[in-house]
Amino acid sequence: MQMSTPKSISFIGPLLKNRDFNFLIKLLIAALVIWVLYKQILAKEGIEEMWQSFLFSLSNANLHWLWLTVLLMPLNWALETLKWQQLIKQFEVLPFWKTYQAILTGITCSIFTPNRIGEYGGRVLMVQPENNWKAVIATLVGNFSQLLVLLSMGILGFVFFAKNYLGIEVMIIQGLFMTSLVGIGIGLFCYFNISLMIPLARKIPFIHYLKRFVKDVKVLEHYQAKDLATALLYSFLRYSVYSLQYYCILRFFGIDITLLAGLAGIATIYLVQTSIPLPPLFDLILRGEMALFIFSFFSTNEVSILSATFGLWIINLIIPAFIGTMLIMNINVLKSFGYENEV
Protein backbone atom coordinates (compact mmCIF):
# COMPACT_ATOMS: atom_id res chain seq x y z
CA MET A 1 0.00 0.00 0.00
CA GLN A 2 1.48 3.35 -1.13
CA MET A 3 1.43 6.08 1.49
CA SER A 4 0.47 9.57 0.36
CA THR A 5 2.76 12.47 1.10
CA PRO A 6 1.40 14.82 3.77
CA LYS A 7 0.15 18.11 2.32
CA SER A 8 2.39 20.16 4.59
CA ILE A 9 5.48 18.33 3.31
CA SER A 10 4.46 18.77 -0.35
CA PHE A 11 4.80 22.53 0.08
CA ILE A 12 8.39 22.35 1.30
CA GLY A 13 9.97 22.04 -2.16
CA PRO A 14 8.23 25.05 -3.75
CA LEU A 15 8.64 27.05 -0.55
CA LEU A 16 12.38 26.46 -0.51
CA LYS A 17 12.56 27.46 -4.17
CA ASN A 18 10.60 30.62 -3.46
CA ARG A 19 12.86 31.43 -0.53
CA ASP A 20 15.92 30.87 -2.71
CA PHE A 21 14.51 33.11 -5.43
CA ASN A 22 13.61 35.77 -2.88
CA PHE A 23 17.16 35.63 -1.55
CA LEU A 24 18.62 35.95 -5.06
CA ILE A 25 16.46 39.01 -5.80
CA LYS A 26 17.54 40.68 -2.56
CA LEU A 27 21.17 39.76 -3.22
CA LEU A 28 20.94 41.27 -6.71
CA ILE A 29 19.45 44.51 -5.36
CA ALA A 30 22.16 44.78 -2.70
CA ALA A 31 24.87 44.05 -5.28
CA LEU A 32 23.55 46.74 -7.63
CA VAL A 33 23.45 49.28 -4.81
CA ILE A 34 27.06 48.43 -3.91
CA TRP A 35 28.03 48.69 -7.58
CA VAL A 36 26.55 52.20 -7.81
CA LEU A 37 28.43 53.19 -4.66
CA TYR A 38 31.68 51.84 -6.07
CA LYS A 39 31.25 53.57 -9.42
CA GLN A 40 30.19 56.89 -7.91
CA ILE A 41 32.31 57.02 -4.75
CA LEU A 42 35.31 54.70 -4.62
CA ALA A 43 36.09 54.83 -8.35
CA LYS A 44 34.99 58.43 -8.90
CA GLU A 45 37.53 60.73 -10.47
CA GLY A 46 38.61 63.46 -8.09
CA ILE A 47 37.18 61.75 -4.99
CA GLU A 48 40.37 62.43 -2.99
CA GLU A 49 40.17 66.16 -3.72
CA MET A 50 36.48 66.17 -2.69
CA TRP A 51 37.32 64.37 0.54
CA GLN A 52 40.03 66.92 1.34
CA SER A 53 37.55 69.71 0.58
CA PHE A 54 35.09 68.10 2.99
CA LEU A 55 37.70 67.85 5.76
CA PHE A 56 38.75 71.45 5.21
CA SER A 57 35.11 72.62 5.43
CA LEU A 58 34.69 70.67 8.67
CA SER A 59 37.55 72.62 10.19
CA ASN A 60 35.87 75.94 9.41
CA ALA A 61 32.88 77.53 11.13
CA ASN A 62 30.46 76.09 8.58
CA LEU A 63 29.38 72.91 10.36
CA HIS A 64 25.86 74.23 11.05
CA TRP A 65 25.19 74.35 7.30
CA LEU A 66 26.02 70.64 7.03
CA TRP A 67 23.85 69.74 10.00
CA LEU A 68 20.94 71.64 8.52
CA THR A 69 21.38 69.81 5.20
CA VAL A 70 21.35 66.42 6.92
CA LEU A 71 18.43 67.24 9.23
CA LEU A 72 16.30 68.38 6.28
CA MET A 73 16.75 65.02 4.51
CA PRO A 74 14.10 63.12 6.55
CA LEU A 75 11.70 66.04 6.05
CA ASN A 76 12.32 65.91 2.31
CA TRP A 77 11.23 62.27 2.12
CA ALA A 78 8.49 62.74 4.73
CA LEU A 79 6.82 65.23 2.38
CA GLU A 80 7.09 62.71 -0.46
CA THR A 81 5.57 60.15 1.91
CA LEU A 82 2.61 62.40 2.71
CA LYS A 83 2.06 63.06 -0.98
CA TRP A 84 2.07 59.38 -1.91
CA GLN A 85 -0.10 58.54 1.09
CA GLN A 86 -2.60 61.11 -0.16
CA LEU A 87 -2.65 59.54 -3.63
CA ILE A 88 -2.92 55.87 -2.60
CA LYS A 89 -5.65 56.39 0.00
CA GLN A 90 -8.19 55.91 -2.81
CA PHE A 91 -7.47 52.18 -2.81
CA GLU A 92 -5.31 51.39 0.25
CA VAL A 93 -4.74 53.06 3.59
CA LEU A 94 -1.19 52.71 4.89
CA PRO A 95 0.16 54.13 8.15
CA PHE A 96 2.72 56.88 7.75
CA TRP A 97 5.74 54.76 8.75
CA LYS A 98 4.91 51.95 6.34
CA THR A 99 4.38 54.50 3.57
CA TYR A 100 7.75 56.03 4.48
CA GLN A 101 9.30 52.57 4.14
CA ALA A 102 7.78 52.29 0.65
CA ILE A 103 9.43 55.57 -0.32
CA LEU A 104 12.80 54.32 0.98
CA THR A 105 12.58 50.99 -0.88
CA GLY A 106 11.65 52.97 -3.97
CA ILE A 107 14.81 55.07 -3.60
CA THR A 108 16.88 51.89 -3.32
CA CYS A 109 15.52 50.44 -6.55
CA SER A 110 15.74 53.79 -8.36
CA ILE A 111 19.44 54.54 -8.00
CA PHE A 112 20.56 51.78 -10.36
CA THR A 113 17.75 51.92 -12.96
CA PRO A 114 17.43 54.21 -16.03
CA ASN A 115 15.32 57.33 -15.38
CA ARG A 116 14.76 55.99 -11.82
CA ILE A 117 12.08 53.62 -13.13
CA GLY A 118 12.89 51.16 -10.35
CA GLU A 119 11.19 53.57 -7.96
CA TYR A 120 7.82 52.17 -9.04
CA GLY A 121 8.79 48.57 -8.33
CA GLY A 122 10.35 49.47 -5.00
CA ARG A 123 7.27 51.25 -3.71
CA VAL A 124 4.78 48.53 -4.58
CA LEU A 125 6.61 46.16 -2.23
CA MET A 126 4.64 47.73 0.63
CA VAL A 127 1.11 47.53 -0.81
CA GLN A 128 -1.21 44.59 -1.30
CA PRO A 129 -0.43 42.63 -4.51
CA GLU A 130 -3.85 43.43 -5.99
CA ASN A 131 -3.02 47.14 -5.70
CA ASN A 132 0.39 47.00 -7.38
CA TRP A 133 -0.66 48.66 -10.64
CA LYS A 134 -2.76 51.22 -8.79
CA ALA A 135 0.30 52.12 -6.72
CA VAL A 136 2.32 52.54 -9.92
CA ILE A 137 -0.38 54.87 -11.30
CA ALA A 138 -0.43 56.86 -8.05
CA THR A 139 3.37 57.22 -8.27
CA LEU A 140 3.05 58.47 -11.85
CA VAL A 141 0.54 61.10 -10.72
CA GLY A 142 2.82 62.15 -7.87
CA ASN A 143 5.82 62.39 -10.19
CA PHE A 144 3.75 64.45 -12.62
CA SER A 145 2.95 66.94 -9.85
CA GLN A 146 6.66 67.13 -8.92
CA LEU A 147 7.56 67.68 -12.58
CA LEU A 148 5.12 70.58 -12.83
CA VAL A 149 6.68 72.22 -9.78
CA LEU A 150 10.23 71.64 -11.09
CA LEU A 151 9.40 73.18 -14.46
CA SER A 152 7.50 76.12 -12.96
CA MET A 153 10.20 77.01 -10.44
CA GLY A 154 12.91 76.19 -12.98
CA ILE A 155 11.53 78.71 -15.47
CA LEU A 156 11.33 81.42 -12.82
CA GLY A 157 14.86 80.65 -11.65
CA PHE A 158 16.23 80.60 -15.18
CA VAL A 159 14.62 83.95 -16.05
CA PHE A 160 16.20 85.55 -12.97
CA PHE A 161 19.59 83.94 -13.58
CA ALA A 162 19.64 84.65 -17.32
CA LYS A 163 18.70 88.29 -16.81
CA ASN A 164 21.22 88.99 -14.04
CA TYR A 165 24.19 86.77 -14.93
CA LEU A 166 24.02 85.40 -18.48
CA GLY A 167 23.32 88.66 -20.26
CA ILE A 168 20.66 87.19 -22.56
CA GLU A 169 18.52 89.77 -24.36
CA VAL A 170 15.27 90.66 -22.62
CA MET A 171 13.17 89.87 -25.71
CA ILE A 172 14.53 86.33 -25.85
CA ILE A 173 13.92 85.81 -22.13
CA GLN A 174 10.37 87.13 -22.43
CA GLY A 175 9.68 84.84 -25.39
CA LEU A 176 10.97 81.78 -23.52
CA PHE A 177 9.00 82.75 -20.44
CA MET A 178 5.70 83.17 -22.30
CA THR A 179 6.20 79.92 -24.22
CA SER A 180 6.96 78.12 -20.97
CA LEU A 181 3.86 79.57 -19.32
CA VAL A 182 1.71 78.09 -22.09
CA GLY A 183 3.37 74.70 -21.67
CA ILE A 184 2.96 74.75 -17.88
CA GLY A 185 -0.66 75.84 -18.29
CA ILE A 186 -1.33 72.85 -20.54
CA GLY A 187 0.42 70.63 -18.01
CA LEU A 188 -1.75 71.94 -15.16
CA PHE A 189 -4.90 71.42 -17.24
CA CYS A 190 -3.91 67.79 -17.90
CA TYR A 191 -3.01 67.32 -14.23
CA PHE A 192 -6.33 68.58 -12.87
CA ASN A 193 -8.20 66.63 -15.55
CA ILE A 194 -6.12 63.49 -15.08
CA SER A 195 -9.09 61.18 -15.74
CA LEU A 196 -8.92 62.24 -19.41
CA MET A 197 -5.83 60.05 -19.61
CA ILE A 198 -7.95 56.89 -19.27
CA PRO A 199 -9.17 56.72 -22.91
CA LEU A 200 -5.71 57.73 -24.10
CA ALA A 201 -4.08 54.97 -22.04
CA ARG A 202 -6.37 52.40 -23.63
CA LYS A 203 -5.14 53.42 -27.09
CA ILE A 204 -1.48 52.79 -26.33
CA PRO A 205 -0.16 50.10 -28.72
CA PHE A 206 0.09 46.62 -27.17
CA ILE A 207 -1.55 47.89 -23.95
CA HIS A 208 -3.92 44.91 -24.14
CA TYR A 209 -1.03 42.78 -22.90
CA LEU A 210 -1.30 44.70 -19.62
CA LYS A 211 -4.96 44.02 -18.89
CA ARG A 212 -4.46 44.63 -15.17
CA PHE A 213 -3.02 48.07 -15.86
CA VAL A 214 -5.93 49.01 -18.13
CA LYS A 215 -8.34 47.92 -15.42
CA ASP A 216 -6.59 49.74 -12.59
CA VAL A 217 -6.08 52.97 -14.54
CA LYS A 218 -9.69 53.73 -13.59
CA VAL A 219 -8.34 54.80 -10.21
CA LEU A 220 -7.69 58.16 -11.90
CA GLU A 221 -11.44 58.77 -11.90
CA HIS A 222 -11.42 58.92 -8.10
CA TYR A 223 -8.94 61.78 -7.82
CA GLN A 224 -10.72 64.98 -6.89
CA ALA A 225 -9.29 68.45 -7.48
CA LYS A 226 -8.65 68.73 -3.73
CA ASP A 227 -6.55 65.54 -3.71
CA LEU A 228 -4.49 66.71 -6.68
CA ALA A 229 -4.04 70.20 -5.24
CA THR A 230 -2.83 68.70 -1.95
CA ALA A 231 -0.33 66.52 -3.82
CA LEU A 232 0.84 69.59 -5.74
CA LEU A 233 1.33 71.47 -2.46
CA TYR A 234 3.43 68.63 -1.04
CA SER A 235 5.50 68.67 -4.24
CA PHE A 236 6.13 72.39 -3.84
CA LEU A 237 7.08 72.01 -0.18
CA ARG A 238 9.42 69.16 -1.03
CA TYR A 239 11.00 71.22 -3.81
CA SER A 240 11.53 74.04 -1.33
CA VAL A 241 13.19 71.68 1.16
CA TYR A 242 15.71 70.08 -1.20
CA SER A 243 16.50 73.44 -2.83
CA LEU A 244 17.26 74.77 0.66
CA GLN A 245 19.39 71.68 1.29
CA TYR A 246 21.40 72.41 -1.86
CA TYR A 247 21.91 76.02 -0.78
CA CYS A 248 23.01 74.96 2.71
CA ILE A 249 25.58 72.49 1.44
CA LEU A 250 26.94 75.09 -0.97
CA ARG A 251 27.49 77.39 2.00
CA PHE A 252 29.09 74.53 3.95
CA PHE A 253 31.68 74.13 1.19
CA GLY A 254 32.42 77.84 1.24
CA ILE A 255 30.47 79.02 -1.81
CA ASP A 256 29.56 82.60 -0.89
CA ILE A 257 26.24 83.19 -2.63
CA THR A 258 23.07 85.04 -1.68
CA LEU A 259 19.92 83.03 -1.02
CA LEU A 260 18.03 84.43 -4.01
CA ALA A 261 20.88 83.91 -6.47
CA GLY A 262 21.52 80.45 -5.04
CA LEU A 263 17.90 79.33 -5.37
CA ALA A 264 17.74 80.72 -8.92
CA GLY A 265 20.88 78.82 -9.89
CA ILE A 266 19.60 75.64 -8.24
CA ALA A 267 16.26 75.99 -10.04
CA THR A 268 18.11 76.32 -13.35
CA ILE A 269 20.15 73.18 -12.67
CA TYR A 270 17.02 71.16 -11.84
CA LEU A 271 15.28 72.54 -14.95
CA VAL A 272 18.06 71.31 -17.25
CA GLN A 273 18.36 68.03 -15.36
CA THR A 274 14.60 67.40 -15.67
CA SER A 275 14.56 68.32 -19.37
CA ILE A 276 17.24 65.72 -20.20
CA PRO A 277 16.28 62.37 -18.63
CA LEU A 278 19.35 60.20 -18.13
CA PRO A 279 20.34 57.08 -16.18
CA PRO A 280 21.29 57.85 -12.56
CA LEU A 281 25.05 57.65 -13.13
CA PHE A 282 24.99 60.14 -16.03
CA ASP A 283 22.36 62.25 -14.26
CA LEU A 284 24.84 63.03 -11.48
CA ILE A 285 27.50 63.91 -14.06
CA LEU A 286 25.13 66.32 -15.83
CA ARG A 287 24.18 67.94 -12.52
CA GLY A 288 27.87 68.37 -11.68
CA GLU A 289 28.64 69.99 -15.04
CA MET A 290 25.66 72.33 -14.72
CA ALA A 291 26.68 73.21 -11.16
CA LEU A 292 30.19 74.10 -12.37
CA PHE A 293 28.74 76.43 -15.00
CA ILE A 294 26.12 78.09 -12.77
CA PHE A 295 28.17 78.55 -9.62
CA SER A 296 31.35 79.59 -11.43
CA PHE A 297 29.79 83.08 -11.36
CA PHE A 298 30.23 83.03 -7.58
CA SER A 299 33.31 80.88 -6.97
CA THR A 300 36.36 79.65 -8.82
CA ASN A 301 36.74 76.63 -6.51
CA GLU A 302 35.52 73.83 -8.79
CA VAL A 303 36.29 71.12 -6.23
CA SER A 304 34.00 72.74 -3.66
CA ILE A 305 31.19 73.13 -6.21
CA LEU A 306 31.42 69.47 -7.23
CA SER A 307 31.77 68.39 -3.59
CA ALA A 308 28.52 70.19 -2.71
CA THR A 309 26.62 68.51 -5.56
CA PHE A 310 28.12 65.12 -4.79
CA GLY A 311 27.56 65.52 -1.05
CA LEU A 312 23.87 66.32 -1.49
CA TRP A 313 23.51 63.20 -3.65
CA ILE A 314 24.99 61.09 -0.85
CA ILE A 315 22.77 62.66 1.81
CA ASN A 316 19.50 62.59 -0.12
CA LEU A 317 19.86 59.33 -2.05
CA ILE A 318 22.64 57.08 -0.82
CA ILE A 319 21.82 57.20 2.90
CA PRO A 320 18.08 56.53 2.28
CA ALA A 321 19.02 53.83 -0.26
CA PHE A 322 21.06 52.02 2.39
CA ILE A 323 18.11 52.10 4.77
CA GLY A 324 15.82 50.95 1.98
CA THR A 325 18.15 48.04 1.20
CA MET A 326 17.90 46.83 4.80
CA LEU A 327 14.12 47.09 4.64
CA ILE A 328 14.01 45.04 1.44
CA MET A 329 15.99 42.29 3.18
CA ASN A 330 12.95 41.75 5.45
CA ILE A 331 10.36 41.71 2.65
CA ASN A 332 8.98 38.71 0.81
CA VAL A 333 9.49 40.17 -2.67
CA LEU A 334 7.62 37.45 -4.56
CA LYS A 335 4.65 37.71 -2.25
CA SER A 336 4.60 41.50 -2.66
CA PHE A 337 4.22 41.02 -6.40
CA GLY A 338 1.55 38.35 -5.93
CA TYR A 339 3.65 35.37 -7.05
CA GLU A 340 3.70 33.50 -3.75
CA ASN A 341 0.82 32.47 -1.55
CA GLU A 342 1.17 32.34 2.18
CA VAL A 343 1.61 28.76 3.50
Side-chain angles (χ1 to χ4, degrees):
M1 181 177 176
Q2 187 176 3
M3 296 181 64
S4 60
T5 304
K7 188 175 181 179
S8 59
I9 297 178
S10 66
F11 276 105
I12 293 178
L15 182 58
L16 287 174
K17 292 179 181 178
N18 286 331
R19 284 176 176 171
D20 291 343
F21 196 39
N22 264 302
F23 175 76
L24 288 175
I25 293 173
K26 296 172 184 179
L27 185 64
L28 177 61
I29 291 173
L32 288 171
V33 171
I34 292 171
W35 175 76
V36 169
L37 295 181
Y38 171 77
K39 292 291 291 184
Q40 286 299 320
I41 298 179
L42 298 179
K44 186 175 181 64
E45 184 179 354
I47 190 63
E48 292 183 6
E49 290 85 351
M50 291 184 191
W51 177 247
Q52 292 302 319
S53 177
F54 174 74
L55 294 178
F56 177 78
S57 298
L58 281 179
S59 64
N60 293 330
N62 294 332
L63 193 57
H64 60 285
W65 292 110
L66 178 63
W67 277 116
L68 186 56
T69 306
V70 174
L71 291 174
L72 284 173
M73 182 268 285
L75 177 59
N76 174 13
W77 294 115
L79 290 167
E80 179 66 19
T81 299
L82 290 170
K83 179 175 69 176
W84 200 59
Q85 192 178 39
Q86 171 77 17
L87 293 170
I88 67 171
K89 72 177 184 180
Q90 306 295 336
F91 52 86
E92 186 166 343
V93 177
L94 290 180
F96 176 83
W97 174 234
K98 190 168 184 179
T99 312
Y100 205 128
Q101 289 178 330
I103 301 303
L104 294 176
T105 55
I107 296 170
T108 300
C109 297
S110 72
I111 65 169
F112 54 77
T113 51
N115 298 330
R116 302 188 64 181
I117 196 171
E119 175 186 26
Y120 301 94
R123 290 192 184 187
V124 302
L125 294 175
M126 293 294 176
V127 301
Q128 295 299 317
E130 61 268 20
N131 291 327
N132 282 353
W133 278 114
K134 293 176 184 176
V136 169
I137 295 165
T139 305
L140 284 168
V141 174
N143 287 348
F144 188 19
S145 72
Q146 198 70 54
L147 176 64
L148 288 172
V149 171
L150 276 168
L151 294 177
S152 301
M153 301 306 296
I155 291 301
L156 292 175
F158 174 74
V159 168
F160 176 88
F161 198 83
K163 180 181 177 181
N164 291 280
Y165 299 100
L166 299 182
I168 299 177
E169 293 184 13
V170 176
M171 291 294 292
I172 296 176
I173 295 175
Q174 289 177 343
L176 289 172
F177 181 70
M178 296 305 296
T179 303
S180 301
L181 280 183
V182 173
I184 292 169
I186 294 173
L188 286 170
F189 173 81
C190 293
Y191 178 72
F192 282 104
N193 295 274
I194 198 76
S195 60
L196 296 177
M197 299 296 106
I198 297 176
L200 294 177
R202 289 171 175 165
K203 293 181 180 180
I204 298 175
F206 308 111
I207 197 65
H208 58 278
Y209 289 111
L210 298 174
K211 295 180 181 178
R212 185 65 178 275
F213 177 82
V214 175
K215 176 184 176 184
D216 289 342
V217 79
K218 290 183 179 180
V219 73
L220 296 176
E221 296 176 344
H222 300 292
Y223 289 130
Q224 304 296 318
K226 181 180 178 181
D227 300 320
L228 296 169
T230 301
L232 200 62
L233 175 61
Y234 283 133
S235 291
F236 173 74
L237 292 174
R238 184 176 168 233
Y239 172 86
S240 301
V241 168
Y242 61 67
S243 294
L244 182 58
Q245 282 184 284
Y246 204 158
Y247 177 77
C248 289
I249 202 165
L250 284 170
R251 295 302 304 270
F252 168 72
F253 280 102
I255 310 301
D256 189 13
I257 183 172
T258 64
L259 179 61
L260 185 58
L263 293 179
I266 291 164
T268 304
I269 292 172
Y270 285 139
L271 175 65
V272 175
Q273 180 185 342
T274 304
S275 305
I276 309 175
L278 292 169
L281 298 182
F282 295 101
D283 185 65
L284 183 60
I285 294 173
L286 173 64
R287 191 186 303 182
E289 292 299 319
M290 280 300 303
L292 285 175
F293 173 74
I294 295 294
F295 298 123
S296 64
F297 290 91
F298 310 97
S299 174
T300 57
N301 192 334
E302 294 187 353
V303 175
S304 292
I305 295 172
L306 289 175
S307 297
T309 303
F310 185 63
L312 186 63
W313 179 75
I314 291 176
I315 292 169
N316 272 355
L317 288 177
I318 295 304
I319 294 176
F322 261 124
I323 299 172
T325 303
M326 291 186 286
L327 291 172
I328 289 175
M329 294 300 112
N330 295 316
I331 295 174
N332 188 325
V333 178
L334 291 179
K335 187 178 177 182
S336 296
F337 287 111
Y339 290 115
E340 180 181 329
N341 294 321
E342 198 170 358
V343 279

